[in-house]
Amino acid sequence: MSGALSTGAAQVIRIVLTFASTIIVARLLSPSDYGTYAMAAPVIGFAMLFQNIGFDHAIVQADEVDDVQLSSLLWLNVGLCAVTSIILVAISPLVSVFYHNSASGVLVAASALLLLSTAPNPLYNAMLNRSMRFHAQSLVEIVSSVAGFAATVIAAIVLRSYWALWIGSLLSTIANTAMFMILERWRPKFVFRWSAIRTMVGFGGGVSAANISVFVTRNLDNVLLARFWGAAPLGLYDRAYKLMLFPLQNFTGPMSRNVLPVLARTRDDGERFRRAFMLFLQALTAVAVPGILVAAVAAEDVVQVLMGPRWSSAAPIFRWLAAAGALLIVNDAVLSLFIATTRTRALVRWSLFSAVTVIIGFVAGLPWGPLGMAIAYFVGEAIRAPALFVAATRGTSVRVRHLFGLHVVTVFALVADLAVMAVLPTTLPAVVRPGVLLIVSYTASIAAQFLSPFGRELMSIGMRWVGQSGRSLFVTLRRPR
């Protein structure tokens, strides 16, 4: 619980800074600037997959890890990053030709620096995670987020170009690496022994294959829009996506990271395993979904407040992506069941199935541009959810009905939001309607918790924790000085 609160606080800070950056930078840069950077982003992101070949999960799952294994994994990762950086520079002219945009190729070449600077991070992050040093991980994320925010805003004010986005990413990565090296005092030895890490790399390879499939599903939309619709439409879609889904994905991942060590140690005890996973997922849904639904229902107001009137065309796109986000918050977290039970082959099979269906959806939505892509995203998540629940829970103590029960929160909050939005005066300032809906949405979410056993237990734990914290504070204040 302590780790989850720490991680949640870090992610709230990160999301707030993301929104603040959007509010400021979207008024300094044009949709074409964002579109140009978004053209390079899939290539850069794909290269980044090879700075983490999945061994971070292998380190967390392993019963024991020694210095030789850790050092060998780190040097392997540094070598992969160096080779991938050279490849990035080599293919950058091809990127320019593909998009008919020379700036995108230059950005790809420059991003080799990003890849090199992040090489040690997966291993150090895994070491902190394995030892459940969640507070240290949260501090790393806070410092890197603040550094990236400050660098992006300052560069946008000075340069007024897409280079501000690249500079922000670079400074954030450097801060991330520096903090890991400060907080985790372990240093590698100059040793490399393949036999010591063969099994761990094999496990990580399965996770990496799944990550590649996920990457395709998360970036193909940008590639297709860039190639067939150009920088400006892509800029609208990319801003709507980054504003809605990117923070969610960066929220779900770190929160799942907290529960993985617990699941790894309880997977042989079905009751404890189910309880730990479902309480985690119940809390994640209660915290994230009501706010996401407000963004979907009041999309026009949210876009106007965060990005300004000239981005109003992004509102319909934002609404459908927010609707997808309400499903994605659960679907992404459910994927951790595969990793917690070491079923990497099943994870790979699911990821390939998911990638194929996403590609079909994006191709179908492409003729309608960014809005078609956003609708395809939502429809795909809705159709895949039942199949994912069945595949992920197979052989575990978690049941499909438990996962469907999570969306009681979704239904309650959505109905309440729509009902209140229908009676709110249209003359209210744009910032007021989302504020009112947030209160309504989270109130409905609290009421929905009492309709499921895991929700009731979560409320009981929460109230007990608040009571204990209150008593501790009271005792501290009453203590004589």
Side-chain angles (χ1 to χ4, degrees):
M1 176 66 78
S2 175
L5 290 172
S6 174
T7 302
Q11 296 314 305
V12 167
I13 292 172
R14 187 174 182 177
I15 290 171
V16 168
L17 289 175
T18 298
F19 285 153
S21 176
T22 297
I23 293 171
I24 298 170
V25 178
R27 287 162 170 79
L28 298 172
L29 305 184
S30 68
S32 295
D33 286 321
Y34 281 107
T36 299
Y37 190 79
M39 287 178 176
V43 182
I44 299 167
F46 185 76
M48 285 289 184
L49 291 176
F50 295 96
Q51 60 88 35
N52 179 6
I53 55 174
F55 62 70
D56 53 344
H57 292 296
I59 290 172
V60 173
Q61 297 291 322
D63 294 328
E64 295 181 1
V65 181
D66 58 36
D67 276 354
V68 172
Q69 290 173 312
L70 292 174
S71 298
S72 300
L73 287 170
L74 185 135
W75 297 125
L76 175 62
N77 209 49
V78 170
L80 285 172
C81 287
V83 171
T84 309
S85 297
I86 294 171
I87 294 173
L88 267 184
V89 175
I91 67 170
S92 58
L94 301 178
V95 175
S96 297
V97 172
F98 178 79
Y99 288 129
H100 307 297
N101 185 306
S102 59
S104 60
V106 176
L107 280 170
V108 167
S111 294
L113 290 174
L114 286 173
L115 192 59
L116 289 172
S117 62
T118 195
N121 291 1
L123 183 131
Y124 277 90
N125 190 40
M127 291 174 67
L128 292 177
N129 194 24
R130 177 181 173 83
S131 56
M132 295 189 181
R133 293 177 61 191
F134 301 127
H135 299 308
Q137 288 178 301
S138 299
L139 181 59
V140 172
E141 294 201 13
I142 291 171
V143 171
S144 63
S145 297
V146 171
F149 167 76
T152 302
V153 171
I154 293 172
I157 293 171
V158 174
L159 300 178
R160 300 294 179 102
S161 81
Y162 49 80
W163 283 108
L165 305 174
W166 179 85
I167 290 171
S169 296
L170 180 62
L171 266 293
S172 176
T173 301
I174 292 173
N176 198 279
T177 303
M179 287 299 298
F180 275 132
M181 300 289 283
I182 292 170
L183 295 174
E184 176 53 67
R185 296 302 180 89
W186 177 85
R187 295 295 180 265
K189 298 179 178 179
F190 290 100
V191 60
F192 181 85
R193 191 177 300 164
W194 174 252
S195 60
I197 60 173
R198 183 187 297 111
T199 302
M200 301 177 79
V201 173
F203 177 88
V207 176
S208 293
N211 287 342
I212 290 173
S213 296
V214 171
F215 175 84
V216 171
T217 64
R218 298 280 163 82
N219 290 272
L220 182 65
D221 46 355
N222 277 14
V223 174
L224 291 174
L225 285 172
R227 184 67 179 82
F228 295 100
W229 285 82
L234 174 60
L236 292 172
Y237 180 85
D238 181 69
R239 279 303 86 196
Y241 182 96
K242 290 293 195 300
L243 192 62
M244 190 68 257
L245 293 185
F246 187 74
L248 288 182
Q249 291 159 0
N250 282 276
F251 182 78
T252 304
M255 293 301 289
S256 298
R257 179 186 67 203
N258 282 59
V259 80
L260 275 175
V262 179
L263 296 179
R265 287 156 179 76
T266 59
R267 57 181 169 233
D268 295 327
D269 185 338
E271 177 61 30
R272 292 182 66 203
F273 182 91
R274 178 174 62 246
R275 181 169 174 265
F277 181 74
M278 288 307 303
L279 284 174
F280 155 71
L281 210 53
Q282 191 81 31
L284 191 64
T285 305
V287 169
V289 168
I292 298 168
L293 293 175
V294 169
V297 173
E300 289 82 3
D301 295 323
V302 173
V303 169
Q304 182 176 338
V305 170
L306 294 181
M307 296 193 291
R310 68 170 173 168
W311 291 85
S312 59
S313 300
I317 305 168
F318 182 78
R319 171 174 286 111
W320 284 100
L321 290 177
L327 303 176
L328 194 68
I329 199 76
V330 174
N331 293 357
D332 268 11
V334 167
L335 290 172
S336 61
L337 278 177
F338 290 110
I339 298 173
T341 52
T342 65
R343 292 181 294 144
T344 53
R345 290 186 179 180
L347 176 60
V348 171
R349 288 195 297 270
W350 169 259
S351 299
L352 292 175
F353 167 77
S354 178
V356 170
T357 56
V358 166
I359 291 170
I360 293 172
F362 284 159
V363 171
L366 183 60
W368 290 271
L371 182 59
M373 288 293 195
I375 295 173
Y377 213 122
F378 168 75
V379 172
E381 288 297 328
I383 292 175
R384 281 188 300 275
L388 171 61
F389 293 172
V390 172
T393 57
R394 186 174 291 126
T396 74
S397 57
V398 180
R399 298 291 176 261
V400 173
R401 69 177 183 276
H402 296 150
L403 300 180
F404 275 115
L406 294 166
H407 284 301
V408 171
V409 174
T410 308
V411 173
F412 261 61
L414 179 60
V415 170
D417 290 341
L418 291 173
V420 172
M421 188 65 173
V423 300
L424 284 177
T426 57
T427 54
L428 287 175
V431 72
V432 172
R433 281 189 292 269
V436 172
L437 290 182
L438 280 172
I439 297 172
V440 170
S441 196
Y442 280 99
T443 301
S445 170
I446 292 172
Q449 300 302 323
F450 293 97
L451 297 179
S452 71
F454 296 111
R456 290 191 292 272
E457 184 174 3
L458 176 67
M459 294 298 296
S460 175
I461 291 172
M463 289 186 288
R464 190 161 60 246
W465 180 82
V466 170
Q468 291 171 349
S469 300
R471 285 193 295 273
S472 298
L473 179 61
F474 179 76
V475 170
T476 301
L477 294 175
R478 290 287 303 274
R479 186 176 299 154
R481 299 189 178 184

